[in-house]
Amino acid sequence: MNFKAIALVVVLLPSCSDDGSSPYRLDDLLRLNDVQAKGTHNSYHVQPDNPVDPSHFYTHATLDVQLDEQGVRQFELDLHLHRDNGFEVFHLPGGIDSETTCRRFANCLQIIKNWSDEHRWHMPLVIWLEPKDEEMDSLYPDMEPIAGHYDELEAEILSVWPEKRILKPDDVRGDHASLPEAVAAEGWPTLGELRQKVIFSMLDSQTHRQHYTQDAPNLAGKLLFVDSDDPADPYAAFFKVNNAQADFDLTQNLVSAGFIVTTNTDGVDLSSAENHARLNGCLDSGAHFLSTDVPVPVDGEMYWFNLPPGGTPARCNPLSAATACRPSDVENLP
């Protein structure tokens, strides 16, 4: 038996203390914006039999496999409202791009929560929820608009995730008038405060955001954060920058100001060289959650997303994390 190898594993893996305190040495120092983590775009997606667009040529593993084997810590779920089945998760209706690994929204959430329940010390998970009802759903009589059903959406989330394990806008804003004021004055909660928690954010910058925030511009009492355009908006906290390589200065400015940024790192309709260049630009930008279509190697393809060093689930953010930070301080599950 190789006792040296066993000893090395014991040293590297965090161990829980008897009092239940965090096994991570920097959990009282590192905050949410000090991380850079792997995510997936359209995380439920299954390639249709006859794709109508080059961007549809990819299939993701189930959400639990992404968490357990691929190190994914941020998801994107597209939402539709079915008249009989409630909230469903898929890309486009009518068989155009509707294959999914988990159709019922609550089932998708339960898969993620089951994994979270079994991994006490995982870093916080981010789930972007994108209402997709305004594109083609009106053509199908069994689909309904999501506007006006936000309370139902929040209730469905809370039917799976206990509120104490969700980071809400109120938790960040505290006594401040707006989220940007709170982020500037107080910063984000520490990783120690966010272990085994989830964060939901609405991926919409038009009608749905307008309706969701109209009675609470600073998101008071709301369960979801929202995608932001302007750092001065009272709800500004999370930003989705589609291409941080192209919008490099914008991304760095947002990261430096303390906002949380997600970006798409690649596309299956781009060349390997384009994807490598885009990924490197996104990494250097400091964007916190890096959303990919290609989280693992694909036969015959040169490109796949790999978060250095060593493809760990997350690493220390190059723009904000303390110099003492190591990837294992963010997450190092057995």
Side-chain angles (χ1 to χ4, degrees), residues 80 131-138 147 204 206-208 211:
H80 304 258
K132 297 285 282 190
D133 58 314
E134 295 180 330
E135 295 193 15
M136 299 177 63
D137 283 12
S138 61
D204 184 88
Q206 299 182 34
T207 302
H208 287 291
H211 287 313

Side-chain angles (χ1 to χ4, degrees), residues 141-158:
D142 55 346
M143 307 306 293
E144 296 185 351
I146 293 176
H149 295 275
Y150 305 121
D151 289 345
E152 296 169 38
L153 176 62
E154 291 190 354
E156 189 151 334
I157 292 171
L158 291 173

Side-chain angles (χ1 to χ4, degrees), residues 42-88:
N42 291 349
S43 306
Y44 55 84
H45 191 266
V46 174
Q47 181 176 312
D49 291 336
N50 298 294
V52 298
D53 190 277
S55 65
H56 299 170
F57 280 82
Y58 66 99
T59 294
H60 283 307
T62 57
L63 301 179
D64 54 336
V65 170
Q66 291 185 49
L67 285 160
D68 207 46
E69 300 179 15
Q70 300 177 4
V72 173
R73 298 295 181 264
Q74 173 254 300
F75 295 105
E76 181 184 309
L77 304 178
D78 289 342
L79 294 180
H80 304 258
L81 183 56
H82 192 279
R83 180 164 298 164
D84 299 320
N85 298 332
F87 291 101
E88 296 186 334

Side-chain angles (χ1 to χ4, degrees), residues 35-40 63-75 112 115 119 121-127 197-199 289-290 312-314 330-334:
V35 308
Q36 195 168 54
K38 183 179 187 178
T40 48
L63 301 179
D64 54 336
V65 170
Q66 291 185 49
L67 285 160
D68 207 46
E69 300 179 15
Q70 300 177 4
V72 173
R73 298 295 181 264
Q74 173 254 300
F75 295 105
I112 298 170
W115 181 89
H119 297 84
W121 299 107
H122 70 74
M123 64 169 285
L125 308 175
V126 169
I127 302 177
K197 289 190 177 184
V198 67
I199 306 165
F289 292 94
L290 306 161
T312 52
V330 179
E331 184 180 291
N332 191 25
L333 298 178

Side-chain angles (χ1 to χ4, degrees), residues 135-267:
E135 295 193 15
M136 299 177 63
D137 283 12
S138 61
L139 302 176
Y140 299 89
D142 55 346
M143 307 306 293
E144 296 185 351
I146 293 176
H149 295 275
Y150 305 121
D151 289 345
E152 296 169 38
L153 176 62
E154 291 190 354
E156 189 151 334
I157 292 171
L158 291 173
S159 73
V160 177
W161 282 87
E163 190 170 353
K164 66 181 180 180
R165 283 173 58 185
I166 301 174
L167 179 70
K168 305 179 295 298
D170 285 346
D171 300 328
V172 175
R173 195 186 63 260
D175 295 330
H176 294 274
S178 71
L179 282 167
E181 290 178 25
V183 169
E186 311 294 342
W188 291 89
T190 64
L191 292 186
E193 296 169 307
L194 295 177
R195 297 282 175 194
Q196 209 182 23
K197 289 190 177 184
V198 67
I199 306 165
F200 294 95
S201 188
M202 179 184 291
L203 183 51
D204 184 88
S205 57
Q206 299 182 34
T207 302
H208 287 291
R209 184 180 69 188
Q210 177 184 350
H211 287 313
Y212 189 70
T213 62
Q214 64 183 359
D215 62 339
N218 63 359
L219 297 178
K222 300 294 185 180
L223 196 64
L224 312 180
F225 291 88
V226 295
D227 184 22
S228 309
D229 298 318
D230 187 340
D233 286 329
Y235 50 72
F238 275 75
F239 286 77
K240 176 68 184 291
V241 178
N242 283 328
N243 185 346
Q245 179 201 27
D247 291 316
F248 190 85
D249 291 342
L250 168 65
T251 304
Q252 287 211 323
N253 289 339
L254 292 172
V255 172
S256 297
F259 297 108
I260 302 298
V261 179
T262 286
T263 189
N264 294 336
T265 60
D266 47 56

Side-chain angles (χ1 to χ4, degrees), residues 6-28:
I6 294 175
L8 180 60
V9 171
V10 171
V11 169
L12 289 179
L13 295 180
S15 58
C16 301
S17 59
D18 293 337
D19 62 2
S21 60
S22 174
Y24 291 93
R25 66 188 185 102
L26 299 182
D27 258 12
D28 292 333

